[in-house]
Amino acid sequence: RQQLQVIGDTNQQLEQQVALINQQNEQLVQADKIKDEFLTNTSHELRTPLTGVIGITESLLNGVAGPCNEQQSQQLHLALSGAQRLAHLVDDLTDFHQIKDNRLRIQLQPVAVLPVVQRVFELAKHNLSNPYVELHADLPKQDHVVIADSIRLEQVLHNLLSNAMKYTRRGQITLTVKAARGHVSIAVTDSGIGIAESDLAVIFEPFKQVDGSETRTQGGSGLGLAISQQLVQLMGGQLACQSELGQGSRFEFCLPMTQRPVLTSCEQALNQ
Ligand code: ADP
């Protein structure tokens, strides 16, 4: 009888604990929902005024209100790069939440690779401010058509090139495009700080940054690679990294080729 009593008490305690855990679980789910809603609303509220700030600063730099002197131009460039960094972070947060909720929609269609790659490469060259780093492009003579979303493809390339520029103090960064066995492979190779083998698995996780003074001083959100990997997967490819600490890194992804012709913007509109 005593033993039955003990078993009864233990069962009751267990039931109470299970109820408590369920309650805490429910609270966590609710808190997560509130956090997501807050982030979505805040991102939206921040993006609109930021777009305005960026536009006005660019116009001022272009002399819309008369020519700027050296000091004004320096201050405006500072304001512009701060606003662009914030806008980038807001966009990353928005993308991340859409990916997390399976809401991110991409427009897959035949895309000629070289014009996209060249556009991003020229922009990276324009933004490169470190005189000890050289940027090269190793491109095929013949262009290839892949199935992709051109805006998202630009985003992935821009992210990989920006990372290479952030984490390379001196040396070379090379953007390579190759076609093989029904795929086009695009790689960004740098001679930068490299990544330890134990960190290679975590860099694609959201909000993960490798511990180290270099990474911390470069800032960033730790979302770029997580988003890039998801985007490449949504376009039917894979993004991978090979790296050696102190030697450099190589980020490579491939996209399926197609024989279908690239559509004009008019044909695209008719297809929608
Ligand atoms: P962020 O650059 O905003 O921190 P990412 O998701 O783009 O976020 O990258 C995650 C981490 O991976 C970076 O913080 C850095 O530690 C490491 N990383 C990414 N690219 C490189 C690179 N080319 N060389 C060395 N480390 C890199």
Side-chain angles (χ1 to χ4, degrees):
R1 181 183 280 268
Q2 221 173 7
Q3 271 179 342
L4 279 176
Q5 180 67 35
V6 171
I7 292 171
D9 287 351
T10 317
N11 267 347
Q12 208 179 357
Q13 278 169 2
L14 274 176
E15 273 167 23
Q16 279 170 355
Q17 277 177 359
V18 169
L20 193 69
I21 289 170
N22 281 339
Q23 195 187 351
Q24 284 171 343
N25 209 9
E26 182 62 27
Q27 283 170 351
L28 280 176
V29 171
Q30 280 303 323
D32 202 40
K33 220 172 125 191
I34 292 170
K35 183 204 73 188
D36 279 355
E37 275 169 18
F38 171 76
L39 273 173
T40 307
N41 294 342
T42 320
S43 301
H44 188 71
E45 290 301 316
L46 281 171
R47 194 57 174 101
T48 316
L50 269 175
T51 308
V53 172
I54 291 172
I56 293 167
T57 319
E58 279 173 343
S59 307
L60 288 173
L61 275 167
N62 287 335
V64 78
C68 306
N69 64 32
E70 178 111 348
Q71 198 188 3
Q72 288 169 330
S73 160
Q74 260 179 15
Q75 303 286 341
L76 283 172
H77 270 115
L78 273 180
L80 183 61
S81 81
Q84 281 171 334
R85 262 210 321 274
L86 260 181
H88 189 71
L89 176 64
V90 171
D91 290 345
D92 273 359
L93 279 172
T94 308
D95 280 352
F96 172 67
H97 275 97
Q98 289 193 344
I99 287 171
K100 195 169 150 243
D101 300 344
N102 266 331
R103 280 188 294 119
L104 189 87
R105 299 280 165 262
I106 62 166
Q107 289 212 329
L108 291 179
Q109 56 196 26
V111 174
V113 176
L114 289 186
V116 178
V117 168
Q118 271 154 347
R119 220 168 22 242
V120 185
F121 180 74
E122 288 308 322
L123 185 72
K125 248 184 150 171
H126 176 79
N127 290 339
L128 180 67
S129 55
N130 183 343
Y132 303 108
V133 171
E134 278 177 25
L135 207 52
H136 296 286
D138 183 1
L139 308 177
K141 293 223 163 37
Q142 191 204 339
D143 200 359
H144 294 282
V145 179
V146 292
I147 294 293
D149 177 321
S150 61
I151 307 268
R152 296 304 189 169
L153 176 56
E154 269 189 36
Q155 183 179 346
V156 173
L157 277 171
H158 173 77
N159 183 37
L160 297 182
L161 275 171
S162 313
N163 275 350
M165 284 170 8
K166 271 196 321 194
Y167 301 112
T168 306
R169 282 223 209 114
R170 57 172 67 231
Q172 287 200 347
I173 296 171
T174 310
L175 174 61
T176 316
V177 176
K178 273 193 193 131
R181 281 175 270 119
H183 283 81
V184 171
S185 102
I186 303 178
V188 176
T189 313
D190 67 59
S191 59
I193 60 172
I195 303 164
E197 208 182 332
S198 53
D199 289 322
L200 279 178
V202 299
I203 53 168
F204 292 101
E205 286 178 25
F207 304 108
K208 282 281 162 65
Q209 294 184 302
V210 174
D211 256 341
S213 54
E214 196 89 15
T215 303
R216 294 279 167 249
T217 50
Q218 291 298 337
S221 62
L223 280 174
L225 283 179
I227 293 172
S228 297
Q229 192 185 49
Q230 290 292 329
L231 289 177
V232 170
Q233 280 174 5
L234 284 171
M235 292 189 274
Q238 282 298 329
L239 171 64
C241 172
Q242 288 173 322
S243 189
E244 206 176 316
L245 202 57
Q247 300 298 314
S249 311
R250 179 182 170 87
F251 286 84
E252 182 168 13
F253 65 96
C254 49
L255 294 174
M257 259 199 273
T258 178
Q259 300 301 327
R260 279 159 55 196
V262 178
L263 302 178
T264 62
S265 51
C266 191
E267 286 164 336
Q268 281 170 26
L270 284 173
N271 275 354
Q272 277 165 18

